[in-house]
Amino acid sequence: DAGVIAGLVGFALVVLFIVGYYRLLGVVAIASLAISGSLLWVIVAHLGTQSGLALTLAGVTGIIVAIGVSVDSNVVYFEHLKEDIRDGRTARSAVDRAFPIAFSTIVKANVASLIGAALLWWLTVGAVRGFALYLGLATILDLVATYCFMGPLIRILARTRWFAERPTRFGLPGSGAVRALAVETSQDVDL
């Protein structure tokens, strides 16, 4: 019970931070996390009924760590978007350019988590295997949610006029921030 309570409190803090910092992109991130969490719950329920698998404290810990892995995936993409916009791209063009680069980084980071989970599964016994199982499952589901949900949803949002005209509502720098950066850069060149 304490592990579940700690997980819920941690998740609530993550929600507050990511929505506060990334605004509407944070809402997309939470929706992506909810989708991967729902898929994980379906798998856990299936394994529980078919194989007698029980969710232990170690499994809950694996799920909590996986929340961090999932949030990292979103942050990598959103920061690539911000960087491209600061480099002078429009919000719409930054979306198409940033996703392949960010997804490559996300895959590499998640493969590192998967290697760790596989090694833990292979080298340990008992409850630690539960941690490894849930961490591995959640990491795979994060890749699926990122590629099949988050990326396409942000591409759809990028086609809206609202995204182009008000990128700050999506947690992205506005045209004023880009202009200020350009002025700052040109002053540095003049010196």
Side-chain angles (χ1 to χ4, degrees), residues 5 18 22 28 37 39 43 47 50 53 55 59 68 95 114 128 138-139 142 144 150 168:
I5 291 169
I18 203 158
Y22 290 110
V28 172
L39 292 171
I43 292 170
L47 291 175
Q50 299 300 314
L53 183 71
L55 184 60
V95 167
L114 286 172
V128 178
T139 302
D142 171 55
V144 170
M150 185 188 67
T168 55

PDB file of all heavy atoms in Angstrom, residues 5 18 22 28 37 39 43 47 50 53 55 59 68 95 114 128 138-139 142 144 150 168:
ATOM      1  N   ILE A   5       0.870   4.324  -2.723  1.00  0.00           N
ATOM      2  CA  ILE A   5       0.663   5.716  -2.298  1.00  0.00           C
ATOM      3  C   ILE A   5       1.841   6.584  -2.748  1.00  0.00           C
ATOM      4  O   ILE A   5       1.656   7.678  -3.282  1.00  0.00           O
ATOM      5  CB  ILE A   5       0.448   5.806  -0.779  1.00  0.00           C
ATOM      6  CG1 ILE A   5      -0.909   5.181  -0.424  1.00  0.00           C
ATOM      7  CG2 ILE A   5       0.499   7.252  -0.296  1.00  0.00           C
ATOM      8  CD1 ILE A   5      -1.133   4.977   1.059  1.00  0.00           C
ATOM      9  N   ILE A  18       5.057  18.784 -15.228  1.00  0.00           N
ATOM     10  CA  ILE A  18       5.104  18.727 -16.692  1.00  0.00           C
ATOM     11  C   ILE A  18       4.014  19.596 -17.323  1.00  0.00           C
ATOM     12  O   ILE A  18       4.249  20.237 -18.340  1.00  0.00           O
ATOM     13  CB  ILE A  18       5.081  17.279 -17.212  1.00  0.00           C
ATOM     14  CG1 ILE A  18       5.687  17.234 -18.613  1.00  0.00           C
ATOM     15  CG2 ILE A  18       3.705  16.678 -17.195  1.00  0.00           C
ATOM     16  CD1 ILE A  18       6.185  15.890 -19.024  1.00  0.00           C
ATOM     17  N   TYR A  22       5.324  22.627 -19.496  1.00  0.00           N
ATOM     18  CA  TYR A  22       5.093  22.465 -20.936  1.00  0.00           C
ATOM     19  C   TYR A  22       3.672  22.793 -21.373  1.00  0.00           C
ATOM     20  O   TYR A  22       3.346  22.627 -22.546  1.00  0.00           O
ATOM     21  CB  TYR A  22       5.440  21.042 -21.373  1.00  0.00           C
ATOM     22  CG  TYR A  22       6.922  20.759 -21.346  1.00  0.00           C
ATOM     23  CD1 TYR A  22       7.461  19.902 -20.417  1.00  0.00           C
ATOM     24  CD2 TYR A  22       7.776  21.367 -22.256  1.00  0.00           C
ATOM     25  CE1 TYR A  22       8.821  19.653 -20.386  1.00  0.00           C
ATOM     26  CE2 TYR A  22       9.132  21.126 -22.230  1.00  0.00           C
ATOM     27  CZ  TYR A  22       9.643  20.267 -21.286  1.00  0.00           C
ATOM     28  OH  TYR A  22      10.984  20.022 -21.267  1.00  0.00           O
ATOM     29  N   VAL A  28      -0.412  16.548 -23.443  1.00  0.00           N
ATOM     30  CA  VAL A  28      -0.155  15.466 -24.399  1.00  0.00           C
ATOM     31  C   VAL A  28       0.751  14.413 -23.754  1.00  0.00           C
ATOM     32  O   VAL A  28       0.534  13.210 -23.909  1.00  0.00           O
ATOM     33  CB  VAL A  28       0.473  16.009 -25.701  1.00  0.00           C
ATOM     34  CG1 VAL A  28       0.930  14.882 -26.608  1.00  0.00           C
ATOM     35  CG2 VAL A  28      -0.513  16.909 -26.429  1.00  0.00           C
ATOM     36  N   GLY A  37       0.407   3.502 -19.545  1.00  0.00           N
ATOM     37  CA  GLY A  37      -0.010   2.924 -18.262  1.00  0.00           C
ATOM     38  C   GLY A  37      -1.214   2.014 -18.407  1.00  0.00           C
ATOM     39  O   GLY A  37      -1.287   0.960 -17.761  1.00  0.00           O
ATOM     40  N   LEU A  39      -2.075   0.342 -21.135  1.00  0.00           N
ATOM     41  CA  LEU A  39      -1.595  -0.876 -21.797  1.00  0.00           C
ATOM     42  C   LEU A  39      -0.859  -1.777 -20.802  1.00  0.00           C
ATOM     43  O   LEU A  39      -1.028  -3.005 -20.822  1.00  0.00           O
ATOM     44  CB  LEU A  39      -0.686  -0.528 -22.974  1.00  0.00           C
ATOM     45  CG  LEU A  39      -1.349   0.135 -24.169  1.00  0.00           C
ATOM     46  CD1 LEU A  39      -0.295   0.620 -25.164  1.00  0.00           C
ATOM     47  CD2 LEU A  39      -2.331  -0.803 -24.837  1.00  0.00           C
ATOM     48  N   ILE A  43      -1.790  -5.676 -19.561  1.00  0.00           N
ATOM     49  CA  ILE A  43      -0.835  -6.791 -19.550  1.00  0.00           C
ATOM     50  C   ILE A  43      -0.721  -7.382 -18.157  1.00  0.00           C
ATOM     51  O   ILE A  43      -0.710  -8.609 -17.986  1.00  0.00           O
ATOM     52  CB  ILE A  43       0.542  -6.321 -20.087  1.00  0.00           C
ATOM     53  CG1 ILE A  43       0.428  -6.003 -21.572  1.00  0.00           C
ATOM     54  CG2 ILE A  43       1.616  -7.374 -19.838  1.00  0.00           C
ATOM     55  CD1 ILE A  43       1.651  -5.318 -22.158  1.00  0.00           C
ATOM     56  N   LEU A  47      -1.611 -11.179 -17.234  1.00  0.00           N
ATOM     57  CA  LEU A  47      -0.635 -12.077 -16.604  1.00  0.00           C
ATOM     58  C   LEU A  47      -1.107 -12.545 -15.232  1.00  0.00           C
ATOM     59  O   LEU A  47      -0.816 -13.665 -14.824  1.00  0.00           O
ATOM     60  CB  LEU A  47       0.729 -11.387 -16.495  1.00  0.00           C
ATOM     61  CG  LEU A  47       1.467 -11.141 -17.800  1.00  0.00           C
ATOM     62  CD1 LEU A  47       2.738 -10.331 -17.551  1.00  0.00           C
ATOM     63  CD2 LEU A  47       1.799 -12.451 -18.498  1.00  0.00           C
ATOM     64  N   GLN A  50      -3.893 -15.246 -16.065  1.00  0.00           N
ATOM     65  CA  GLN A  50      -3.433 -16.408 -16.820  1.00  0.00           C
ATOM     66  C   GLN A  50      -2.248 -17.119 -16.177  1.00  0.00           C
ATOM     67  O   GLN A  50      -2.120 -18.329 -16.287  1.00  0.00           O
ATOM     68  CB  GLN A  50      -3.051 -16.002 -18.252  1.00  0.00           C
ATOM     69  CG  GLN A  50      -4.191 -15.425 -19.043  1.00  0.00           C
ATOM     70  CD  GLN A  50      -5.351 -16.399 -19.186  1.00  0.00           C
ATOM     71  OE1 GLN A  50      -5.156 -17.563 -19.485  1.00  0.00           O
ATOM     72  NE2 GLN A  50      -6.560 -15.918 -18.944  1.00  0.00           N
ATOM     73  N   LEU A  53       0.482 -14.172 -11.823  1.00  0.00           N
ATOM     74  CA  LEU A  53       1.469 -13.155 -11.481  1.00  0.00           C
ATOM     75  C   LEU A  53       0.848 -12.143 -10.532  1.00  0.00           C
ATOM     76  O   LEU A  53      -0.259 -11.663 -10.759  1.00  0.00           O
ATOM     77  CB  LEU A  53       1.944 -12.457 -12.755  1.00  0.00           C
ATOM     78  CG  LEU A  53       3.029 -11.406 -12.587  1.00  0.00           C
ATOM     79  CD1 LEU A  53       4.342 -12.085 -12.233  1.00  0.00           C
ATOM     80  CD2 LEU A  53       3.179 -10.612 -13.862  1.00  0.00           C
ATOM     81  N   LEU A  55       1.284  -8.472  -8.336  1.00  0.00           N
ATOM     82  CA  LEU A  55       1.987  -7.196  -8.317  1.00  0.00           C
ATOM     83  C   LEU A  55       2.538  -6.987  -6.910  1.00  0.00           C
ATOM     84  O   LEU A  55       1.788  -6.831  -5.950  1.00  0.00           O
ATOM     85  CB  LEU A  55       1.039  -6.056  -8.712  1.00  0.00           C
ATOM     86  CG  LEU A  55       1.640  -4.667  -8.822  1.00  0.00           C
ATOM     87  CD1 LEU A  55       2.737  -4.644  -9.872  1.00  0.00           C
ATOM     88  CD2 LEU A  55       0.558  -3.666  -9.175  1.00  0.00           C
ATOM     89  N   GLY A  59       7.504  -4.782  -8.085  1.00  0.00           N
ATOM     90  CA  GLY A  59       6.832  -4.463  -9.344  1.00  0.00           C
ATOM     91  C   GLY A  59       6.332  -3.029  -9.363  1.00  0.00           C
ATOM     92  O   GLY A  59       6.455  -2.331 -10.372  1.00  0.00           O
ATOM     93  N   GLY A  68       9.304   7.735 -14.747  1.00  0.00           N
ATOM     94  CA  GLY A  68      10.412   8.646 -15.039  1.00  0.00           C
ATOM     95  C   GLY A  68      10.970   8.446 -16.434  1.00  0.00           C
ATOM     96  O   GLY A  68      11.282   9.408 -17.137  1.00  0.00           O
ATOM     97  N   VAL A  95       8.346  20.716 -35.558  1.00  0.00           N
ATOM     98  CA  VAL A  95       7.728  19.446 -35.173  1.00  0.00           C
ATOM     99  C   VAL A  95       8.207  18.315 -36.085  1.00  0.00           C
ATOM    100  O   VAL A  95       8.601  17.250 -35.608  1.00  0.00           O
ATOM    101  CB  VAL A  95       6.178  19.567 -35.200  1.00  0.00           C
ATOM    102  CG1 VAL A  95       5.515  18.204 -35.119  1.00  0.00           C
ATOM    103  CG2 VAL A  95       5.715  20.441 -34.057  1.00  0.00           C
ATOM    104  N   LEU A 114      16.199  -1.156 -21.062  1.00  0.00           N
ATOM    105  CA  LEU A 114      15.871  -2.548 -21.358  1.00  0.00           C
ATOM    106  C   LEU A 114      17.036  -3.486 -21.073  1.00  0.00           C
ATOM    107  O   LEU A 114      16.836  -4.595 -20.577  1.00  0.00           O
ATOM    108  CB  LEU A 114      15.416  -2.696 -22.810  1.00  0.00           C
ATOM    109  CG  LEU A 114      14.024  -2.182 -23.121  1.00  0.00           C
ATOM    110  CD1 LEU A 114      13.781  -2.203 -24.625  1.00  0.00           C
ATOM    111  CD2 LEU A 114      12.972  -2.995 -22.401  1.00  0.00           C
ATOM    112  N   VAL A 128      13.177  -9.052  -7.186  1.00  0.00           N
ATOM    113  CA  VAL A 128      13.915  -8.182  -8.105  1.00  0.00           C
ATOM    114  C   VAL A 128      13.528  -8.491  -9.551  1.00  0.00           C
ATOM    115  O   VAL A 128      13.503  -7.613 -10.400  1.00  0.00           O
ATOM    116  CB  VAL A 128      15.436  -8.308  -7.884  1.00  0.00           C
ATOM    117  CG1 VAL A 128      16.213  -7.445  -8.857  1.00  0.00           C
ATOM    118  CG2 VAL A 128      15.788  -7.934  -6.454  1.00  0.00           C
ATOM    119  N   ALA A 138       7.143  -1.635 -19.164  1.00  0.00           N
ATOM    120  CA  ALA A 138       6.776  -0.218 -19.233  1.00  0.00           C
ATOM    121  C   ALA A 138       7.672   0.544 -20.208  1.00  0.00           C
ATOM    122  O   ALA A 138       7.206   1.456 -20.896  1.00  0.00           O
ATOM    123  CB  ALA A 138       6.841   0.406 -17.847  1.00  0.00           C
ATOM    124  N   THR A 139       8.922   0.153 -20.293  1.00  0.00           N
ATOM    125  CA  THR A 139       9.831   0.813 -21.225  1.00  0.00           C
ATOM    126  C   THR A 139       9.430   0.536 -22.667  1.00  0.00           C
ATOM    127  O   THR A 139       9.419   1.436 -23.510  1.00  0.00           O
ATOM    128  CB  THR A 139      11.285   0.369 -20.956  1.00  0.00           C
ATOM    129  OG1 THR A 139      11.612   0.693 -19.602  1.00  0.00           O
ATOM    130  CG2 THR A 139      12.252   1.052 -21.882  1.00  0.00           C
ATOM    131  N   ASP A 142       6.375   2.491 -23.432  1.00  0.00           N
ATOM    132  CA  ASP A 142       6.690   3.902 -23.629  1.00  0.00           C
ATOM    133  C   ASP A 142       7.103   4.163 -25.064  1.00  0.00           C
ATOM    134  O   ASP A 142       6.687   5.157 -25.669  1.00  0.00           O
ATOM    135  CB  ASP A 142       7.800   4.335 -22.674  1.00  0.00           C
ATOM    136  CG  ASP A 142       8.310   5.726 -23.000  1.00  0.00           C
ATOM    137  OD1 ASP A 142       7.499   6.665 -23.049  1.00  0.00           O
ATOM    138  OD2 ASP A 142       9.528   5.866 -23.234  1.00  0.00           O
ATOM    139  N   VAL A 144       6.193   2.465 -27.671  1.00  0.00           N
ATOM    140  CA  VAL A 144       4.976   2.343 -28.483  1.00  0.00           C
ATOM    141  C   VAL A 144       4.125   3.609 -28.371  1.00  0.00           C
ATOM    142  O   VAL A 144       3.684   4.165 -29.384  1.00  0.00           O
ATOM    143  CB  VAL A 144       4.166   1.094 -28.061  1.00  0.00           C
ATOM    144  CG1 VAL A 144       2.795   1.075 -28.711  1.00  0.00           C
ATOM    145  CG2 VAL A 144       4.940  -0.173 -28.389  1.00  0.00           C
ATOM    146  N   MET A 150       2.123  10.001 -29.160  1.00  0.00           N
ATOM    147  CA  MET A 150       2.615  11.351 -28.903  1.00  0.00           C
ATOM    148  C   MET A 150       3.102  12.038 -30.177  1.00  0.00           C
ATOM    149  O   MET A 150       2.705  13.169 -30.460  1.00  0.00           O
ATOM    150  CB  MET A 150       3.737  11.339 -27.866  1.00  0.00           C
ATOM    151  CG  MET A 150       4.180  12.744 -27.498  1.00  0.00           C
ATOM    152  SD  MET A 150       5.628  12.822 -26.453  1.00  0.00           S
ATOM    153  CE  MET A 150       6.896  12.209 -27.542  1.00  0.00           C
ATOM    154  N   THR A 168       3.351  29.603 -27.315  1.00  0.00           N
ATOM    155  CA  THR A 168       3.619  29.685 -25.881  1.00  0.00           C
ATOM    156  C   THR A 168       2.600  28.887 -25.072  1.00  0.00           C
ATOM    157  O   THR A 168       2.927  28.406 -23.991  1.00  0.00           O
ATOM    158  CB  THR A 168       3.640  31.144 -25.400  1.00  0.00           C
ATOM    159  OG1 THR A 168       2.411  31.774 -25.774  1.00  0.00           O
ATOM    160  CG2 THR A 168       4.810  31.894 -26.004  1.00  0.00           C
TER     161      THR A 168
END
